[in-house]
């Protein structure tokens, strides 16, 4: 059932589209969730048109709104600056990186949780993420075999010593869960749906410690067989999907495998070994098998590993030629500034930077799943804003859906997710984190360009902004008020004219859209 949307003519120039369709449920945390089930889900609907004399505002707030749309008159004039608390300067002539997209991960657990719902509720959930009337996700990440978000550790060839990969096979997790959902996502997306694959661990028998987890590296004599294993995965996955993959990383979090206490699937790669493997084994094997068409992203770990971890690979011309981009995880974004991203872009301006994993792992409150917590959504929004201002081309969330505990996870590494499934009730709960990614994925198109934006009087860090120009020319300004009080903001264009004046309430996120 689609969202009921009414256009009300308030007076001659002011239109507002009103929606009161989120079925709110409050679990005692700072905000609420929207409850969806087999017969109801609050879709955003189709995009409301507006013209060059108007500005569209889409608002989500801690206490009331979820993607509330208003069409307001545009000013195009001067405003007494004493009437605004903050002016936001936007200049589409100063252009930066191009957007690849936004998405989430079909882990084994996410896929099983989605499939634990009735077909109708599953369809609502999938539409909400991938449909035109939902978040319009155009990217997904998948683990190559198991990760911690699986019910048990495994690889695609767990027969000891099978170096010729005779027993290589995908698993029930792929055939019954991930592949059918990926096919549905591909068919729901209105553009090329990009699938990025990453392995957590090679088969345990290929490793120095004989285990999926803890401290272990790939045995030297397995450098070629494991490259063959990845190619075999590309072949079999594409055959079963009926469409192509978009890209891969050679290893998720490659430094995890040097930690003896690393509890889940991993494999250690020093930056130098990674370079040598790519230059002499993985790169040629992937290319000779016809998979150079896949985007090849390196690192796939925290920003604090930038740029040093990528330097050996990027400064060797043999390994560098196989690499298209750099994958980054968000886990230390709140302790390290964004400078490593700028530095990496300066060193390798032709390699794109993509965030490939993010999730909230406790914090305040100190509980894995805290249904409706606003702060977790605010962390997502402020992170995507900051990264968009530092050369990052897109953002992939971690588990698309988890259960009420934040799992399943075979090592008990439970976390929160934008959508939490209650299989018993055949319901799912849509959290503020969902609306955080949606703020970008629904409004910023693939191929948009990040543009110059800056906030005046930015002495207090309360108003965070980033801006894009979509391929159709529309400007999309994203603004988040992280403070506990309202501010009046003014948007100023490159000709120093005020486009717009608006009061942004406490703890509110906006997408402000207007024609260039
Ligand atoms: C689904 O939710 C809607 C809105 O809360 C409710 O009216 C409807 O009865 C629910 N459907 C089922 C099958 O529970
Ligand atoms: C591959 O695995 C699937 C799912 O477990 C199974 O149904 C199929 O028989 C296996 N194929 C081979 C060739 O072993
Ligand atoms: C691993 O965990 C043990 C027990 O908690 C601890 O004593 C040890 O310092 C840890 N080792 C590392 C390398 O973190
Ligand atoms: C590694 O996995 C094994 C099970 O395969 C488990 O018993 C062990 O506790 C894990 N190691 C850590 C550090 O959690
Ligand atoms: C790049 O690395 C490869 C493999 O380690 C090595 O053989 C080669 O000499 C290096 N090339 C350059 C230009 O450093
Ligand atoms: C990545 O971030 C996590 C969370 O802050 C931290 O535990 C881990 O040590 C970091 N690893 C590296 C290599 O920066
Ligand atoms: C999940 O659904 C069951 C059955 O309707 C209900 O008892 C339980 O309270 C629900 N859990 C949450 C967190 O809403």
């Amino acid at each position: 059932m689609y969202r009921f949307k009414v256009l009300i003519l308030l007076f001659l120039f002011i239109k507002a589209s009103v929606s009161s369709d989120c079925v709110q449920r409050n679990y005692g945390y700072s905000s609420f969730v929207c409850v969806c089930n087999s017969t109801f889900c609050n879709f955003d609907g189709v995009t409301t048109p507006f013209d060059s004399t108007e500005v569209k505002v889409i608002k989500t707030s801690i206490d009331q709104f979820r993607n509330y749309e208003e069409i307001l008159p545009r000013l195009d004039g001067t405003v007494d600056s004493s009437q605004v608390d903050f002016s936001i300067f936007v200049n589409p002539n100063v252009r930066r990186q191009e957007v690849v997209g936004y998405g989430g991960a079909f882990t084994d657990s996410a896929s099983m949780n989605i499939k634990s719902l009735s077909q109708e509720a599953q369809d609502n959930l999938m539409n909400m993420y991938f449909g035109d009337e939902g978040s319009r996700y155009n990217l997904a990440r998948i683990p190559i075999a198991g990760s911690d978000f699986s019910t048990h550790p495994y690889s695609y060839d767990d027969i000891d010593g099978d170096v010729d990969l005779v027993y290589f096979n995908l698993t029930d997790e792929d055939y019954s869960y991930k592949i059918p959902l990926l096919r549905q996502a591909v068919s729901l997306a209105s553009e090329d749906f990009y699938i990025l694959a990453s392995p957590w661990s090679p088969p345990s028998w290929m490793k120095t410690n004989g285990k999926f987890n803890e401290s272990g590296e790939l045995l030297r004599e397995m450098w070629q067989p494991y490259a063959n294993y990845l190619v075999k995965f590309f072949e079999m996955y594409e055959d079963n999907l009926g469409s192509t993959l978009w890209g891969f990383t050679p290893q998720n979090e490659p430094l995890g495998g040097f930690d003896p206490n690393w509890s889940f699937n991993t494999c250690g790669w020093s930056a130098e070994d990674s370079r040598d493997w790519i230059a002499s084994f993985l790169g040629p094997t992937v290319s000779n098998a016809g998979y150079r068409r896949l985007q090849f992203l390196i690192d796939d770990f925290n920003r604090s590993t930038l740029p040093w971890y990528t330097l050996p690979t990027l400064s060797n011309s043999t390994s560098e030629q196989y690499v298209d981009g750099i994958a980054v995880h968000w886990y230390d974004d709140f302790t390290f500034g964004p400078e490593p991203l700028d530095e990496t872009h300066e060193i390798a301006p032709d390699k794109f930077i993509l965030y490939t994993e993010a999730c909230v792992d406790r914090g305040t409150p100190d509980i894995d799943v805290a249904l409706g917590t606003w702060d977790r959504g605010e962390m997502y929004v402020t992170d995507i804003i900051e990264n968009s201002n530092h050369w990052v081309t897109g953002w992939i969330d971690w588990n698309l859906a988890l259960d009420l505990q934040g799992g399943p996870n075979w090592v008990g590494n439970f976390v929160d997710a934008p959508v939490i499934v209650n299989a018993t009730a055949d319901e799912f709960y849509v959290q503020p984190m969902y609306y955080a990614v949606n703020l970008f994925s629904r409004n910023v198109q693939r191929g948009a360009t990040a543009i110059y934006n800056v906030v005046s009087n930015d002495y207090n860090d309360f108003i965070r902004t980033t801006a894009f120009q979509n391929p159709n020319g529309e400007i999309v300004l994203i603004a988040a008020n992280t403070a506990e009080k309202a501010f009046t903001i003014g948007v100023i264009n490159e000709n120093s004219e005020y486009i717009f004046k608006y009061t942004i309430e406490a703890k509110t996120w906006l997408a402000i859209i207007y024609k260039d």
Side-chain angles (χ1 to χ4, degrees):
M1 191 193 287
Y2 294 136
R3 186 165 98 161
F4 181 58
K5 193 177 263 181
V6 199
L7 284 180
I8 303 176
L9 211 58
L10 289 181
F11 59 91
L12 202 55
F13 298 110
I14 301 183
K15 291 183 281 188
S17 88
V18 178
S19 72
S20 55
D21 44 11
C22 161
V23 174
Q24 298 185 11
R25 190 176 295 167
N26 198 308
Y27 283 94
Y29 298 105
S30 46
S31 189
F32 54 88
V33 299
C34 300
V35 181
C36 290
N37 60 22
S38 60
T39 58
F40 178 85
C41 199
N42 53 304
F43 292 100
D44 294 314
V46 293
T47 301
T48 317
F50 66 100
D51 66 34
S52 58
T53 66
E54 297 169 321
V55 175
K56 173 148 85 176
V57 178
I58 303 167
K59 169 162 68 182
T60 290
S61 67
I62 190 169
D63 56 355
Q64 192 175 1
F65 298 109
R66 293 292 179 268
N67 281 355
Y68 175 84
E69 280 195 15
E70 295 166 281
I71 309 284
L72 299 162
R74 180 169 161 156
L75 293 174
D76 286 312
T78 52
V79 166
D80 179 353
S81 62
S82 67
Q83 287 180 21
V84 298
D85 297 308
F86 295 98
S87 293
I88 302 163
F89 299 88
V90 177
N91 188 349
N93 300 323
V94 181
R95 303 173 79 74
R96 295 176 177 143
Q97 76 280 12
E98 211 173 87
V99 170
V100 172
Y102 304 91
F106 284 100
T107 59
D108 292 346
S109 302
S111 308
M112 289 171 175
N113 288 323
I114 296 170
K115 289 242 162 231
S116 71
L117 293 163
S118 65
Q119 187 61 52
E120 294 75 19
Q122 281 180 44
D123 290 345
N124 279 342
L125 191 157
M126 292 294 285
N127 259 306
M128 226 186 167
Y129 270 130
F130 304 101
D132 200 44
E133 301 189 280
S135 285
R136 302 173 181 162
Y137 276 13
N138 54 15
L139 272 176
R141 184 163 179 246
I142 52 168
I144 298 174
S147 73
D148 51 331
F149 282 94
S150 301
T151 54
H152 62 115
Y154 65 91
S155 80
Y156 290 137
D157 192 336
D158 289 327
I159 304 299
D160 243 14
D162 180 24
V163 288
D164 295 328
L165 307 173
V166 176
Y167 296 99
F168 184 102
N169 191 4
L170 304 178
T171 63
D172 192 45
E173 281 85 344
D174 300 293
Y175 292 121
S176 305
Y177 296 90
K178 288 153 77 178
I179 291 172
L181 290 172
L182 284 164
R183 290 171 76 115
Q184 190 176 2
V186 168
S187 72
L188 284 168
S190 54
E191 62 190 321
D192 278 355
F193 189 74
Y194 290 174
I195 300 168
L196 176 77
S198 305
W200 264 243
S201 174
S204 54
W205 52 266
M206 290 193 185
K207 292 173 65 183
T208 53
N209 65 346
K211 297 179 183 178
F212 287 109
N213 61 359
E214 301 176 0
S215 168
E217 296 166 70
L218 191 65
L219 290 161
R220 288 276 164 161
E221 64 268 29
M222 296 300 165
W223 280 24
Q224 186 56 53
Y226 187 50
N228 300 342
Y229 170 100
L230 292 177
V231 162
K232 220 162 169 124
F233 164 80
F234 300 149
E235 283 168 1
M236 224 184 242
Y237 232 77
E238 290 193 344
D239 274 359
N240 281 282
L241 269 177
S243 59
T244 54
L245 296 166
W246 173 73
F248 72 102
T249 68
Q251 173 64 46
N252 173 72
E253 305 192 339
L255 297 173
F258 295 108
D259 178 351
N261 290 338
W262 199 269
S263 65
F264 55 89
N265 329 42
T266 186
C267 185
W269 283 100
S270 70
E272 292 72 23
D273 279 354
S274 182
R275 169 201 60 207
D276 294 347
W277 184 47
I278 292 169
S280 307
F281 296 87
L282 183 61
T285 303
V286 165
S287 281
N288 294 338
Y291 292 98
R292 186 64 191 89
R293 63 177 161 81
L294 299 182
Q295 300 296 309
F296 189 139
L297 285 80
I298 55 168
D299 201 321
D300 216 9
F301 207 7
N302 298 347
R303 65 160 59 143
S304 61
T305 66
L306 292 174
W308 68 266
Y309 188 84
T310 64
L311 289 181
T313 302
L314 294 178
S315 52
N316 173 299
S317 57
T318 312
S319 50
E320 182 274 338
Q321 66 175 325
Y322 297 113
V323 175
D324 302 294
I326 292 147
V328 190
H329 292 189
W330 93 328
Y331 299 101
D332 61 16
D333 282 14
F334 296 88
T335 46
F336 278 81
E339 296 76 18
L341 300 168
D342 298 333
E343 231 183 293
T344 305
H345 173 75
E346 267 163 45
I347 289 163
D350 60 330
K351 310 294 183 201
F352 67 93
I353 306 174
L354 181 72
Y355 264 59
T356 49
E357 199 184 300
C359 71
V360 177
D361 181 8
R362 295 195 161 233
T364 315
D366 189 14
I367 179 169
D368 297 321
V369 173
L371 287 168
T373 303
W374 182 257
D375 284 10
R376 297 181 180 192
E378 189 175 276
M379 286 170 79
Y380 272 34
V381 165
T382 54
D383 188 70
I384 305 174
I385 286 175
E386 179 183 76
N387 287 317
S388 301
N389 292 332
H390 293 275
W391 303 106
V392 171
T393 62
W395 208 85
I396 310 179
D397 183 29
W398 187 216
N399 299 278
L400 285 160
L402 289 175
D403 66 16
L404 292 168
Q405 190 181 13
N409 183 292
W410 74 272
V411 292
N413 185 24
F414 304 118
V415 301
D416 213 339
V419 168
I420 296 294
V421 167
N422 186 346
T424 321
D426 195 30
E427 286 178 344
F428 58 95
Y429 309 127
V430 184
Q431 303 222 61
M433 284 181 279
Y434 167 91
Y435 288 93
V437 188
N438 171 290
L439 182 64
F440 295 83
S441 63
R442 189 167 158 79
N443 301 309
V444 181
Q445 293 158 12
R446 174 173 298 153
T449 305
I451 59 177
Y452 179 85
N453 67 97
V454 70
V455 184
S456 70
N457 320 321
D458 196 12
Y459 50 82
N460 54 26
D461 226 20
F462 287 154
I463 302 287
R464 315 275 183 96
T465 65
T466 190
F468 305 87
Q469 183 165 35
N470 270 333
N472 67 6
E474 284 171 9
I475 307 294
V476 181
L477 170 64
I478 305 286
N481 182 2
T482 63
E484 301 283 357
K485 60 179 213 172
F487 296 106
T488 301
I489 56 170
V491 180
I492 301 182
N493 72 9
E494 66 275 22
N495 302 322
S496 308
E497 282 185 330
Y498 273 93
I499 299 287
F500 190 58
K501 188 160 81 82
Y502 191 84
T503 299
I504 181 169
E505 289 131 37
K507 297 282 176 192
T508 296
W509 313 325
L510 305 178
I512 299 168
I513 308 178
Y514 58 92
K515 318 260 182 209
D516 186 12

